[in-house]
Amino acid sequence: MEIEKKYNDMTEHELRTEIGRLREKARKAEQLGILNEFAVYQRKMVMAQSYMIDPKTIEIGELYRIDGDEGVFFHVDYLKGHFAWGYRLGSERAEEALPIAMLKSVKTGK
């Protein structure tokens, strides 16, 4: 049995390979109608993608679109690792964390 490597310890090439492997597993789960398994693989892909993004590119105090949640914006209060902590605009201002790969800049040209 092979020991799984943490995303933090993987090279960019290894992360890309892992994302491809997860994408294939998600596709198969979706075809078989196993939606909960499909969702797990989708989340794992987002996490792996987050480790390919430099957290320094996420600006504290800025607004970002949430990928997969159209029309919803996220205000970043602080970063912890590869997660952005903040709140969704228009919500009860409940603090939550999102993987940084889910955040898309609202600034033009980014």
Side-chain angles (χ1 to χ4, degrees), residues 58-71:
I58 304 298
E59 297 179 37
I60 306 300
E62 287 293 321
L63 289 178
Y64 291 86
R65 285 187 179 89
I66 300 175
D67 192 24
D69 202 353
E70 295 304 313

Side-chain angles (χ1 to χ4, degrees), residues 17-92:
T17 302
E18 176 70 2
I19 291 167
R21 187 182 69 78
L22 292 168
R23 185 172 284 121
E24 183 60 25
K25 284 186 170 193
R27 187 186 63 75
K28 287 179 182 177
E30 186 178 35
Q31 286 177 341
L32 294 172
I34 309 170
L35 299 182
N36 58 343
E37 192 173 310
F38 170 76
V40 167
Y41 291 130
Q42 289 287 90
R43 280 293 177 193
K44 284 185 174 189
M45 279 192 293
V46 169
M47 284 305 305
Q49 291 166 345
S50 291
Y51 280 86
M52 293 175 51
I53 297 171
D54 183 358
K56 293 175 187 165
T57 62
I58 304 298
E59 297 179 37
I60 306 300
E62 287 293 321
L63 289 178
Y64 291 86
R65 285 187 179 89
I66 300 175
D67 192 24
D69 202 353
E70 295 304 313
V72 179
F73 296 91
F74 188 78
H75 180 271
V76 177
D77 288 332
Y78 64 97
L79 294 171
K80 189 169 183 179
H82 291 270
F83 283 88
W85 287 82
Y87 59 92
R88 294 171 193 249
L89 290 186
S91 72
E92 296 177 12

